[in-house]
Amino acid sequence: MPQLDFSNPLMTSKLVWLVIIFGVLYFVLKTYALPRVASVLEQRAARIKADLDAARDAQAASEAALAELRAATAAAKAEAQAAIATAMQEAQKKAAAEAEAINARLNAQVAEAEARVAAARDAAMGALRSVATETAAAMLARLGLSAPANDVAAAVDRAATQGGR
Amino acid sequence: MAAEGKAIDALGQFELSTVLGPIGAAVGFTQSNLFMVIAGGLIVALMVYGMRPAAMVPGRLQSLAEAAYGFIDDMVVAQVGEEGRRFFPFVFTLFMFILFGNMLGLFPYAFTYTSHISLTFTLALMVFVLITAVSIALHGKKFLGYFFPEGAPIWLAPIIIPVEIVSYLSRPISLSIRLFANMVAGHVMLKVFATFVVMLAGLGAIGPFVSVMPLAINVALVGFEVLVAFLQAYVFAILTCIYLHDAVHLH
């Protein structure tokens, strides 16, 4: 096995070269190569952290905006409902007032009409009494009876009050 | 050793020879060292050229470089803790050096420098010296308490102390032999089956059909060796981290 042939002078020289090459490699990596990688990784980590922070801030801002929006919506809703309620009340009041006015006018008209009807009836009733008295007097005359005009009128009146209603 | 038959030369691939003509021969620069330089160049290229864009959203090569960095960084921090950060460049260099050595060795005509016990033992010795130096520097005399855990009954000392010393001293040995043996075994198998392909193919009419079998095995073996190449580099690095944890925290 050539690996165990330690009498070979190349074995020793190979190890000397190994130490030199390994040392140079170690120095180059430690001094130049690895710090560069470290700085790139650090920059990336910082960038990611900054971006994450920005995203978190934006999220907080959006949440605040959302809350504001919700509050504004709620306030607007309440306002609108209050406006609707007052409008409805006013409308109802107005309607009630109008209805009352109409009722009053109608009542007045009804009362007037009733009065007119009563007057007409009274007039008619008055005319009827005189016609009835005259008729009664005429009938009495036909029957050959005579009675004082006052008594006939009183009797007609009595009959009228008894017969009416 | 055993496999050196007439036709199968599975171990010739581990033979050292000098490269770069007379200059290389003069300074004993072997092909093993050449591949170390190639591996080092590739590592530096990946980490420097790959990171050149330094982009917020990394491209392919930059992702690879960052993944390698993050992989070892996570490993060091998870095993050693935050104070282990200063060992990160060493563990990173070690991991990448072994990983690239193992991976480069899978290319045809390449030399697998991690298949030499002298090399893996040198790396393990670096780790051993580092952990010993770190624990002595951090804990001074208390470092000796490592070999006799607090609270153990004193009459057990004659048993515990030698056991602890042997286990401590065997760390570089197990570390180096594991890597070396894995790489050698894999490459010997690849070579043996590859030789079978050639030998069987020469068996007349049925040869090409029979030789498909060792070829299929070799295809599977290469995939397996890629896994082993990564796994052994990972094992070497994570054991280094565990030893560093012991050195920093003393058990």
Side-chain angles (χ1 to χ4, degrees):
Chain A
M1 207 177 217
Q3 290 100 313
L4 299 178
D5 177 17
F6 293 112
S7 59
N8 188 348
L10 288 180
M11 208 64 123
T12 323
S13 69
K14 182 197 79 175
L15 293 182
V16 173
W17 281 111
L18 161 70
V19 172
I20 295 170
I21 294 165
F22 191 85
V24 170
L25 180 63
Y26 174 75
F27 177 78
V28 170
L29 286 181
K30 187 189 159 93
T31 323
Y32 301 108
L34 296 180
R36 272 178 62 86
V37 184
S39 77
V40 169
L41 291 181
E42 258 165 41
Q43 272 172 20
R44 181 173 311 141
R47 171 78 180 277
I48 288 171
K49 192 177 172 297
D51 284 1
L52 274 182
D53 285 351
R56 222 169 275 134
D57 288 353
Q59 199 185 18
S62 75
E63 262 162 26
L66 194 63
E68 208 173 295
L69 176 70
R70 273 208 198 106
T73 313
K77 220 183 243 174
E79 206 175 302
Q81 262 165 358
I84 289 169
T86 44
M88 222 139 89
Q89 259 175 354
E90 253 166 50
Q92 272 172 350
K93 224 181 270 175
K94 205 169 154 193
E98 263 170 29
E100 215 168 295
I102 289 169
N103 275 347
R105 210 174 63 214
L106 287 180
N107 283 344
Q109 275 174 2
V110 167
E112 196 189 335
E114 270 174 2
R116 259 207 320 265
V117 168
R121 204 184 60 190
D122 285 354
M125 283 304 243
L128 193 64
R129 192 166 294 146
S130 67
V131 169
T133 313
E134 274 169 27
T135 313
M139 279 192 330
L140 284 173
R142 258 298 170 88
L143 286 168
L145 295 172
S146 67
N150 280 349
D151 287 356
V152 174
V156 168
D157 266 354
R158 205 162 52 240
T161 47
Q162 271 171 4
R165 72 195 67 155
Chain B
M1 279 162 82
E4 253 160 331
K6 268 183 192 167
I8 302 178
D9 176 23
L11 296 171
Q13 56 176 325
F14 303 124
E15 206 80 59
L16 287 173
S17 60
T18 57
V19 288
L20 304 178
I23 306 168
V27 293
F29 194 83
T30 64
Q31 85 274 50
S32 168
N33 301 123
L34 178 65
F35 278 97
M36 288 175 205
V37 172
I38 294 173
L42 286 176
I43 295 166
V44 172
L46 172 66
M47 300 314 287
V48 174
Y49 176 74
M51 289 305 290
R52 176 138 301 165
M56 268 301 152
V57 179
R60 271 184 272 182
L61 215 51
Q62 195 186 335
S63 290
L64 188 61
E66 285 177 11
Y69 184 98
F71 181 65
I72 300 301
D73 196 42
D74 289 349
M75 185 198 288
V76 171
V77 172
Q79 297 297 331
V80 192
E82 203 56 47
E83 64 268 49
R85 270 269 158 76
R86 57 201 163 121
F87 305 116
F88 167 70
F90 176 72
V91 179
F92 186 82
T93 311
L94 201 58
F95 173 76
M96 294 301 263
F97 188 70
I98 294 171
L99 179 68
F100 274 66
N102 294 350
M103 290 290 189
L104 276 180
L106 288 174
F107 286 95
Y109 299 108
F111 185 86
T112 319
Y113 53 75
T114 44
S115 65
H116 269 244
I117 180 77
S118 52
L119 181 134
T120 59
F121 189 74
T122 309
L123 293 179
L125 210 59
M126 284 186 203
V127 173
F128 183 76
V129 169
L130 177 73
I131 59 172
T132 311
V134 165
S135 47
I136 288 176
L138 285 182
H139 304 288
K141 258 190 207 159
K142 270 199 282 173
F143 162 65
L144 293 176
Y146 185 87
F147 300 107
F148 188 69
E150 264 178 62
I154 196 79
W155 56 270
L156 275 178
I159 304 169
I160 289 179
I161 292 176
V163 166
E164 287 285 343
I165 289 176
V166 166
S167 88
Y168 191 78
L169 292 180
S170 65
R171 278 173 174 185
I173 297 166
S174 69
L175 204 54
S176 54
I177 288 180
R178 185 180 300 113
L179 176 57
F180 153 75
N182 268 287
M183 298 323 291
V184 169
H187 282 269
V188 166
M189 292 237 281
L190 279 175
K191 186 79 175 205
V192 166
F193 281 107
T195 315
F196 281 168
V197 175
V198 178
M199 284 165 72
L200 289 174
L203 279 183
I206 58 157
F209 301 102
V210 184
S211 66
V212 165
M213 285 189 297
L215 182 65
I217 291 175
N218 243 6
V219 170
L221 267 182
V222 168
F224 184 67
E225 279 305 304
V226 170
L227 175 72
V228 169
F230 176 78
L231 203 64
Q232 287 307 317
Y234 174 73
V235 166
F236 205 101
I238 200 156
L239 282 175
T240 303
C241 287
I242 289 169
Y243 296 159
L244 278 170
H245 171 267
D246 284 353
V248 172
H249 301 289
L250 281 191
H251 274 296

